[in-house]
């Protein structure tokens, strides 16, 4: 039953994605062109990348609000090291390592000290953004070699698929396999649904959570590298406020904020849905305001509508049961 | 039964130990330490104007924290406050453009009413729609901000659009205390007494510590949830009017990002995000502490780019120490009860 309703939501989302594509095509003939779709999907590559790790974190009933700040910090590190004359591959590795360290710090505070993740990551949201300013100040590093910026906004040779989105698809497939087909993945649901029972069942709850926060930091740093090359600009204030967008997409994807429920497919479909609606409205010059409202309504509706339907069903059944009794 | 209650009362710690253990006392001590430490290095920190600026800067956050605390006590959260502040600030400004003679109290009432309506939307979603508060208010954060964008449409309210009586209300003062600060103190005191000593107020604690027990005790949890969110919205709406009065200039982005600052202040002030624990005095002190820390950094001439990082580190330290201390005292309490 639970699986059926869950699958139902994912199918609904995928149908909505195609409806949005169709709607976009009706709005403008330019919408379904390869170049527009490339531009449009590249636009949400950072949100998509971070959404993968955020899905896992929310499934174990935690949250990471520091992702956008980690993105900014890794972008600043990348830019500062490049400006200092480091070879770019080495600077990328350093930026990723900084992200993993940031995630490790979150994870240690949460699992070793037992602090709530919401409180810890509100703190590190401020701290990591501040460190980004310490590293780079208000400078913008922009003169990256064309080879690397091409990784950011170029496409796979011979296809219209943006390179960051191709990278995202590879990682998404890995995440799906790990989450749904390995013991580790299944254990995340157990931990999210009931951490006490999971601990009694022999799962190393703290270690699993720690590894997920490291992963979250690493993915945010990867998104930071992508962001830097896509805009050809390393800045401390890159992607301010992105965290709420990522969380909105994951929750719209049917992942429960209370943990234990949800799937990568749903989250990915939701990222695409929001991105495509965004793109479709932009191409016909509908301003940001409508998109903001649409995102909010979709998010609320995704939980409210199934709740109301369930309520209506039980109400009808109860009335029918009552009616039967009266006839007897 | 009555004997048992009497026994726990006699074995309860006396007033002095309770006072020493209270979160508010440690916060106050920290506040004094930061304030006096900064003043020792730069005496100007305690000058009248700089204290006035400090309180004015903290006032709006402290006001929104009141509503957020009520919601947090019920184990919910209200992320939409920043959008309510923004929308209320702009619509109140537009009202002044349309009716330049509008009396100030009417503007405050308008903000309150608008906020209450927006907050009730959250309340209905959470109480009756059974949408988790984080999802519902993240959704309305977007919806209310979107409405704000649509209404503002690239425009802006400037101080020149506002009557002098309204702007004077923000800068005016009574016996040297700015009106804005006075108003916030009155609201804090009122709600502090209500939450501490009245049945309705205590019910918010009951709902947050154990909602099933609250239902058994005859509390209407849905109604409390609805009124709690309506109050949070109303207070945020009022804060929007004050935001307009304080800054004079308001565009579509007014107030954005405020929600995390407000939650941070409440959490530093000892309001638990797990519901049922916390006081308005603590939450207010939390807001004040964050405000004092950031202005102390400016006063001490911390290098510009280090300020945000230091602030983040201090915030994190405050959260960690606070949680650890409270956990330790909870453990001690439990041990005391067992023996």
């Amino acid at each position: 039953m639970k699986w059926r309703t869950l699958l139902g939501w994912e199918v609904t989302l995928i149908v909505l994605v195609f409806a949005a594509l169709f709607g976009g095509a009706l709005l403008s003939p330019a919408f379904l062109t390869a170049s527009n779709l490339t531009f449009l999907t590249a636009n949400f590559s950072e949100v998509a990348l971070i959404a993968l790790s955020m899905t896992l974190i929310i499934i174990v009933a935690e949250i990471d609000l520091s992702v956008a700040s980690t993105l900014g910090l890794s972008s600043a590190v990348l830019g500062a090291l490049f400006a200092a004359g480091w070879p770019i591959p080495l600077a990328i590795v350093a930026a990723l390592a900084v992200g993993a360290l940031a995630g490790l710090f979150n994870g240690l505070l949460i699992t070793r000290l037992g602090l709530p993740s919401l409180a810890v990551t509100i703190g590190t949201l401020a701290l990591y953004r501040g460190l980004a300013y310490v590293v780079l100040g208000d400078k913008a590093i922009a003169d990256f070699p064309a080879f690397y910026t091409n990784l950011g906004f170029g496409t796979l040779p011979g296809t219209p698929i943006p390179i960051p989105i191709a990278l995202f698809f590879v990682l998404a497939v890995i995440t799906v396999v790990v989450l749904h087909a390995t013991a580790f993945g299944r254990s995340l649901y157990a931990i999210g649904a009931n951490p006490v029972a999971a601990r009694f069942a022999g799962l190393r709850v703290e270690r699993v959570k720690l590894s997920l926060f490291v992963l979250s930091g690493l993915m945010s740093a990867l998104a930071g590298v992508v962001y830097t090359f896509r805009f050809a600009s390393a800045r401390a204030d890159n992607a301010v406020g992105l965290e709420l967008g990522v969380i909105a997409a994951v929750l719209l994807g049917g992942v429960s904020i209370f943990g234990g429920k949800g799937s990568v497919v749903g989250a990915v479909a939701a990222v695409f849905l929001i991105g495509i609606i965004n793109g479709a409205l932009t191409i016909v010059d509908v301003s940001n305001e409508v998109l903001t409202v649409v995102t909010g309504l979709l998010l609320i509706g995704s939980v409210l509508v199934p709740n109301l339907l369930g309520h209506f069903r039980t109400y009808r059944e109860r009335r029918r049961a009552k009616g039967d009794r009266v006839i007897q | 039964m009555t004997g048992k209650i009497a026994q726990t009362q006699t074995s309860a710690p006396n007033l002095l130990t309770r006072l020493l253990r209270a979160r508010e006392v440690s916060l106050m001590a920290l506040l004094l330490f930061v304030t006096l430490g900064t003043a020792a290095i730069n005496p100007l920190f305690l000058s009248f104007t700089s204290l006035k600026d400090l309180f004015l800067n903290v006032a709006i956050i402290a006001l929104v924290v009141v509503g957020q605390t009520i919601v947090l006590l019920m184990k919910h959260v209200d992320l939409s406050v920043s959008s309510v502040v923004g929308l209320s600030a702009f619509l109140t400004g537009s009202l002044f453009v349309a009716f330049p003679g509008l009396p100030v109290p009417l503007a405050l009432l308008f903000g309150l009413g608008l906020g209450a309506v927006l907050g009730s939307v959250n309340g209905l979603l959470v109480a009756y729609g059974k949408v988790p508060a984080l999802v519902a208010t993240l959704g309305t954060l977007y919806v209310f901000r979107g409405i704000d964008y649509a209404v503002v449409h690239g425009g802006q309210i400037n101080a020149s659009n506002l009557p002098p009586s309204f702007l004077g209300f923000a800068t005016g003062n009574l016996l040297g205390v700015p009106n804005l600060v006075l108003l916030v103190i009155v609201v804090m005191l009122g709600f502090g007494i209500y939450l501490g000593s009245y049945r309705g107020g205590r019910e918010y604690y009951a709902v947050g510590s154990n909602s099933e027990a609250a239902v058994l005790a005859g509390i209407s949890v849905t109604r409390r949830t609805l009124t709690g969110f309506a109050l949070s919205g109303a207070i945020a709406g009022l804060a929007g009017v004050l935001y307009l009065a304080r800054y004079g200039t308001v565009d579509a982005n007014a107030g954005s990002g405020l929600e995390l600052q407000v939650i941070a202040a409440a959490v530093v002030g000892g309001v638990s995000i797990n519901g049922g624990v916390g006081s308005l005095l603590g939450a207010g002190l939390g807001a004040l502490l964050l405000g004092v820390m950031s202005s102390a950094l400016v006063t001490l001439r911390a290098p510009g780019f280090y300020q945000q990082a230091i602030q983040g580190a201090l915030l994190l330290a405050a959260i960690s120490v606070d949680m650890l201390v409270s956990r330790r005292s909870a453990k001690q309490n439990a041990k005391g009860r067992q023996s």
Side-chain angles (χ1 to χ4, degrees), chain B residues 241-254:
Chain B
V241 182
L242 299 180
Y243 188 102
L244 178 69
R246 163 98 169 101
Y247 297 105
T249 308
V250 167
D251 63 10
N253 286 317

Side-chain angles (χ1 to χ4, degrees), chain B residues 206-233:
Chain B
V207 170
S209 11
N210 190 336
S211 72
E212 279 143 32
V215 171
L216 292 177
I219 297 171
S220 169
V221 174
T222 36
R223 219 195 62 199
R224 273 292 146 219
T225 311
L226 184 60
T227 41
F229 275 101
L231 280 176
S232 172

Side-chain angles (χ1 to χ4, degrees), chain A residues 135-152:
Chain A
V135 169
L136 202 56
D138 55 2
K139 288 195 293 268
I141 309 294
D143 46 348
F144 295 102
F147 172 76
Y148 290 98
T149 50
N150 189 47
L151 287 181

Side-chain angles (χ1 to χ4, degrees), chain B residues 33-46 50 292-304 306-307 310 314:
Chain B
F33 176 73
V34 177
T35 312
L36 295 180
T38 313
I41 301 169
N42 187 346
L44 276 181
F45 188 60
L46 280 184
S50 93
V292 166
M293 286 191 320
S294 74
S295 88
L297 287 174
V298 179
T299 311
L300 296 179
R301 303 232 169 89
Y306 280 82
Q307 278 175 21
I310 296 172
L314 288 177

